[in-house]
Amino acid sequence: MSLPSVYQSKFAEKLTILNERGRGVLVRIYNIKKTCSDPKTRPPFLGDKAMEPSVKFISKKFPHLDVRSSTQHLGPVHKDKGDIARVLAPFYHSFLDVLEFRDHVYELLNTIDASQCFFDIHVNYDFTKSYLDLVVTYVSLVLLLARTEDRRLLIGMYHCAHEMSHGASDPSFARLGQMVLEYDHPLKKLTEEFGPHTKAVTSALLSLHFLFARRNQGAEQWRSDQLLSLLSTAGAMLSPASSDTMACEYLSLEVMERWILMGFLVCPGALASSPQCLELWRSALQGSLYVTLLRDEALQVHKVTEELLGSLKGYGKRVADLKECKEHAVAHSGSLHRGRRAYLRGAVRELVALLEDQPGLLGPKALFVFMALSFSRDEVSWLARHAEHVTKTKTPEDFADSHVAELLFLMEQLRRLVRRQVGVLQRYHVQYLARFDALVLSDVIQNLSVCPEEESIILSSFVTSLSALSVKEGDNKEKFDFTPLRLDWFRLQAYTSVAKASLPLASNPDVARVMNLIVFHTKLLDSLEELLAETSDLSDLCFYPRPLEKMFAATMEEPSMLRYSIAFPLLCSHFSRCVHPMCPEEYPHLKATALGLCNKFLEEMARQASACVMDACAEQHNLSEQLLPKHSASTVSKARSKKTPKQPAKKGEPERDKPGAESQRRDRTLTTNMDKLHLTLAELSLSLNHVPNFTIFEHTVTPAEYLSGHLETRLTKAIVAMAGYSQTTQEVARPSEVLVGLSAYVTFIQSLGHLVGLDTGRVIRGVLLQQTQPRDATGQQTLTTIYTNWYLEALLRQASTGAIVLAPAMQAFATVPREGEPSFSAAEFSDVSEMRALAELIGPYGMKFLSDNLMWHVRSQVTELKKLVNENMDTLVQLRSSSCKPEQMVALLPRLTSAENVLKRMTIIGEILSFRAMAQQGLREVFSHHCPFLMGPIECLTDIVTPDTDIQVTLSIFELASAAGIPCEVDPALVNVLAGSKTEGSSEEEDYKVACLLLVFVAVSLPLLASDPASFYNTEVDGYNNNIHCLAKAIIHVSAALFTLHNKNIETHLKEFLLLASVSLLQLGQETDKLRARNRDSVSLLMQLIVAESSFLTVDMLETCFPYVLLRNAYREVCRENMLTRVPSH
């Protein structure tokens, strides 16, 4: 063939375009197959019952479908013809693409045969590779088309809908239908089609004989050859790694296997033509059980080949060879690949360590990097493919590998290293191309015996382009582009590989050798990402989710592999390369799959890491709990018992180790649970912190955030669990004990900051801040809710029944001991230290929530009190006006109803306010400790408030002070809550009148307390056994809040209350009934308590209406009686 006609054939361009186009068509057919096989994505009318007659008719008559005479069967199609044509149009045109692709492949293969092209992978690498790729792509497409079960239905239904809509069938339908029929038995048809092309295919495959034999070796041979080792020839470490066939060194073994097996599958006649063909075929058959068609679509090569050869005459020996190879593959292929993976882990680990330490070696040894990536990729791909498809095997360990994570991790390390050191690669190879490759190519051109003008011009342009390169281009960040040079070389390969070429490449292999080296070096300058994708792309694993998940699960169970587990999430970043421009509709599904797998892997890693952290925290909590004061009793008891004669130890009492015994070891090899937890956590932390973030389908993924999220969730649950709250039994842990446990947790998590690589402060702050709210981020109870409920439902409810009394002397609530009831010490939950601990745990926000709940109960009591006042309105008005008429007051008092109820409700209010004051005091101390610089200005603001200050300003300042725990003359929380308790329909004056009469009601009811036996003043607790000393706080704070609401003078009304209360109590002195006046002295002391509680009242004011001498006598009498009750009886 003359050179001009070769130019016109454009082999290079056509091979490039058809390979890319074929890949796209292959992806589209794959997408159709998967779409129609999934009930969720399958076109709905294909499964519609009404459409069943049409479906059966089309499937039976295809492709001979007479639309006009078959209206009875095609009625449902006619009804929805518009929707059917619209939905099935992409499917139909995809099948048309197959037909068009086949026509172009036929034409090109025939032209190549006519040109008698020469193929040799070592010489015209690009030409041979593109030719074999085209053959395999075409064969894969035909086989995948035959696997698409709904192909007839999709094409036939679209044809019917199209003809019904347009009145004529699609012009291409007849040929398309015929093609589908022909490929019902695809392999038989393919062997017929490739009969004329057997010679070309065979020559291309035979060129792989030496290369495949050299590459397809076991781990033992690799080990003896020191494959990928830079240290085996340390003296030549700086020498450039070179080969006569650079691209062949990193050519995928899996790709070669596919070429050989599919090539001989469609050209079986070649097996008898040459012993080398048979040897090559047998060797390929022994390496794998499944060969990839596309993604997860695989060909069970032994079975398919056996069926084909069995149907052909004269292939009995080949069938016997095939069975022998299958037995060998089943028995040995798994162990062969397992050995390779084991060798590669060690070799690539050594390579990564050397290159990270000396990145300058990347220049001369770049080939080793891409060889390592290619070999590793092949082994990982083989493992995933066979783990998916091999379901029954006697050696399942051959198809599972708990150490594959390390190989994936090392691949990622190499990829990162190459990207990071791209400057080293460019600087080295720019000089290599300009100062070596260009000179060698020039010498080769000059030594050519024959060099036609056209070829000479092309080759000379190569030399010129390379010689013009300089290091400055790389230093100036100029982008290199050698795509035209590589395309020209591809064209030249095609021109010089035809029969009777003016410059036959087969006779001038030196040109090919130098140019192949140059092509590799240029790719390192301008196509580094493409080269990395060619050698290490694992995007097809996106379609093997089950094997990936099994590998990941095995990795997480292997402690030594935990540090490499991040390789699986990083692997998901490869999956975006699966998207093909010809099939954009796959994008959402692939994106969801990639993100779903990545999320699953990172969630599991974070779950295990957070579990380790929380287990270690629990260990620390147990150790800190041993140091609690309550555990010292046994130690003190033992110390005392040593001084006394020894007594025999009681059975069932185990010897308790002293705190700190866990740190004593006789041998460092003895590992504790904490050691194991620390080791596991360190390994997982290395993995999670390997990269700060990475991208998957335009989503930025931050691994450490997964750990942060899990840690927050688990820590929140652990803190709540420490409280041990039981709603049924009303049991809860003391706030101080929870605080000790929380401190242990927080201290340990803070110590992990350098290890886990996340903002532990942010995690702790987030969790603790959630505990100050009623509900956490997941809607669950927090410590704030738990302790608020417990103090209201358990402590204060028992206080209202008299089971618990407020003991001012102890600054706590104390339990009244009762026989037959389980012991419960209220003081252990309400003393000063517990209130401080509570404030530490739930903070100012939590204390405000507690205060709001307490005030809600106060409001409900005040509302009931107002109802009682309204019931006794007339009597109370008369009593108020009769304060100076004792006889009249005595006559009016019996007319009051529910006086005891009023006192009881006011006592409950007092108990609530007293508990709130204790909690506020704890908050004040904690706040002063943590924020003294804030407490000072707040206290200063509180001090400058005077009676003349505007009421709104006063309340604002008091609200600020109250939030810091500072007590105020007027409680702003109480003012706010009572503002909402106004009686509906009543005027401001009426509400004010009720407030005044409420004080009157309380004042005149005080004498009733004297008849209660529990109204005895107990000097030990500095209060009364029925908590009536809480009345003082209730009276003062409720009155201050009520009269602040009505903007009235608080002092005036409190003076009025003192007057009425004094008159009422003084009348007890004239009471003849001793039972009604039994505790007159104790009740009289309430007057002193009321004055002491209020900042508006003074002792002088009290003296004007209630002589202090009476109080002094009452104190003396109460103390005498208390002493008498404590004196033991004889």
Side-chain angles (χ1 to χ4, degrees), residues 1024-1075:
Y1024 299 83
N1025 292 337
N1026 59 356
N1027 280 328
I1028 60 172
H1029 51 288
C1030 297
L1031 279 171
K1033 190 174 287 291
I1035 293 166
I1036 296 303
H1037 287 279
V1038 170
S1039 60
L1042 286 173
F1043 296 122
T1044 298
L1045 275 175
H1046 298 294
N1047 202 14
K1048 301 296 181 180
N1049 189 282
I1050 301 169
E1051 184 179 326
T1052 303
H1053 289 85
L1054 286 177
K1055 284 182 179 178
E1056 181 184 1
F1057 171 81
L1058 276 183
L1059 178 60
L1060 283 168
S1062 299
V1063 171
S1064 300
L1065 289 174
L1066 288 172
Q1067 288 176 356
L1068 279 176
Q1070 302 173 4
E1071 182 62 55
T1072 56
D1073 189 348
K1074 293 184 179 180
L1075 290 177

Side-chain angles (χ1 to χ4, degrees), residues 454-488:
E454 290 84 354
E455 284 81 350
S456 177
I457 292 171
I458 294 173
L459 291 170
S460 298
S461 70
F462 292 166
V463 175
T464 305
S465 299
L466 299 176
S467 301
L469 293 173
S470 69
V471 178
K472 291 182 180 179
E473 293 180 56
D475 294 343
N476 295 334
K477 306 294 182 183
E478 294 181 19
K479 289 189 177 180
F480 297 99
D481 186 8
F482 295 99
T483 307
L485 183 147
R486 289 193 290 271
L487 183 55
D488 283 343

Side-chain angles (χ1 to χ4, degrees), residues 945-958 1044 1047:
V945 173
T946 63
D948 299 329
T949 308
D950 182 73
I951 189 62
Q952 294 303 323
V953 175
T954 300
L955 287 176
S956 298
I957 293 173
F958 283 172
T1044 298
N1047 202 14

Side-chain angles (χ1 to χ4, degrees), residues 49 65 74 125 136 141 184 190 351 405 429 530 619 648 671 697 761 767 827 833 989 1007 1097 1100 1124:
K49 287 187 177 181
L65 300 170
L74 298 175
Y125 174 84
V136 168
L141 181 59
D184 277 347
L190 284 170
L351 183 64
H429 288 96
E530 287 78 358
E619 291 271 351
T671 56
F697 280 92
V767 171
S833 62
E989 286 299 322
L1097 299 176
D1100 292 339
L1124 289 174

Side-chain angles (χ1 to χ4, degrees), residues 542-543 585-594:
C542 179
F543 305 95
E585 55 265 36
E586 278 190 322
Y587 185 89
H589 171 69
L590 295 176
K591 177 180 176 181
T593 302

Side-chain angles (χ1 to χ4, degrees), residues 5-20 108 111-112 115 117 119 124-131 134 458 483-498:
S5 63
V6 175
Y7 289 154
Q8 292 170 5
S9 298
K10 297 187 180 296
F11 289 146
E13 291 86 342
K14 288 181 179 178
L15 283 169
T16 303
I17 293 169
L18 281 177
N19 271 317
E20 180 60 28
L108 182 58
T111 308
I112 288 174
S115 303
C117 289
F119 293 106
N124 50 3
Y125 174 84
D126 298 307
F127 190 44
T128 304
K129 180 180 184 296
S130 297
Y131 178 76
L134 183 64
I458 294 173
T483 307
L485 183 147
R486 289 193 290 271
L487 183 55
D488 283 343
W489 167 234
F490 191 1
R491 289 169 176 152
L492 192 58
Q493 290 178 61
Y495 302 157
T496 56
S497 297
V498 299

Side-chain angles (χ1 to χ4, degrees), residues 266-284:
V266 295
C267 300
L271 295 173
S273 64
S274 166
Q276 289 184 332
C277 288
L278 185 59
E279 183 184 346
L280 184 62
W281 180 63
R282 285 172 58 88
S283 178

